[in-house]
Amino acid sequence: MLLGWKNKKIGLALSVAYLSVAWYSCQDASPPAMSYLQDIQPILATKCYACHGPDEAKREAGLRLDLRESFFEKLESGKTAVSSIRFSDSELIKRINSTDPEYQMPPPDFSKPLTTEEIQLLDQWVADGLALSLIHI
């Protein structure tokens, strides 16, 4: 009789474990929300601020990527870094996805190229409307 009780306890424990795994696997598996401070700002700081950061003497093309409003202001070229109308028209997105060495950002001779994952994060960030929890960046 004692052996039967142990088998029932093991069976019950296995059933609970199975149901827990089944319940957990049915939960929404959406990725965690993107964090500007953890995901985006470090990319901009290490790969972009050297030429597009707070140092006015080193800034190129009139683009400052540490201020949100700068993403939407007209650059020296007459374009804007980010299109507020269509994500795909954003100069930033076109340049980080380009393979043309004359157009690509960061330029090929820059020592810190963007990784595929970083490009995807920036693409998603722009597509999400520059989701920022704080500005001044």
Side-chain angles (χ1 to χ4, degrees), residues 5-6 10 15 22 27 36-37 43-44 47 49 56-57 64 69 81-82 88 94-95 103 112 114 117 125 132:
W5 175 244
K6 284 185 180 180
I10 291 171
S15 296
Q27 297 303 305
Y36 172 78
L37 291 176
I43 298 170
L44 296 176
K47 311 287 176 95
Y49 286 2
E56 191 172 351
R64 185 172 174 179
E69 59 271 12
V82 174
S88 59
K94 290 177 185 177
R95 286 181 174 264
Y103 190 70
K112 299 175 185 175
L114 290 168
E117 181 183 337
W125 181 60
L132 302 176

Side-chain angles (χ1 to χ4, degrees), residues 35-112:
S35 164
Y36 172 78
L37 291 176
Q38 290 180 342
D39 300 317
I40 302 302
Q41 197 274 338
I43 298 170
L44 296 176
T46 59
K47 311 287 176 95
C48 306
Y49 286 2
C51 299
H52 303 294
D55 187 345
E56 191 172 351
K58 293 182 181 179
R59 195 171 313 131
E60 295 185 22
L63 178 59
R64 185 172 174 179
L65 296 178
D66 64 325
L67 295 175
R68 186 174 197 270
E69 59 271 12
S70 183
F71 284 89
F72 302 100
E73 292 174 352
K74 286 206 184 228
L75 304 172
E76 293 170 2
S77 66
K79 299 176 182 181
T80 59
V82 174
S83 170
S84 59
I85 300 169
R86 278 196 347 204
F87 157 72
S88 59
D89 287 342
S90 297
E91 192 69 13
L92 174 75
I93 297 308
K94 290 177 185 177
R95 286 181 174 264
I96 66 171
N97 285 284
S98 177
T99 56
D100 178 352
E102 297 295 317
Y103 190 70
Q104 178 183 0
M105 286 292 144
D109 61 346
F110 188 67
S111 62
K112 299 175 185 175

Side-chain angles (χ1 to χ4, degrees), residues 2-15:
L2 188 58
L3 183 58
W5 175 244
K6 284 185 180 180
N7 286 339
K8 287 181 182 178
K9 284 176 78 174
I10 291 171
L12 179 62
L14 289 173
S15 296

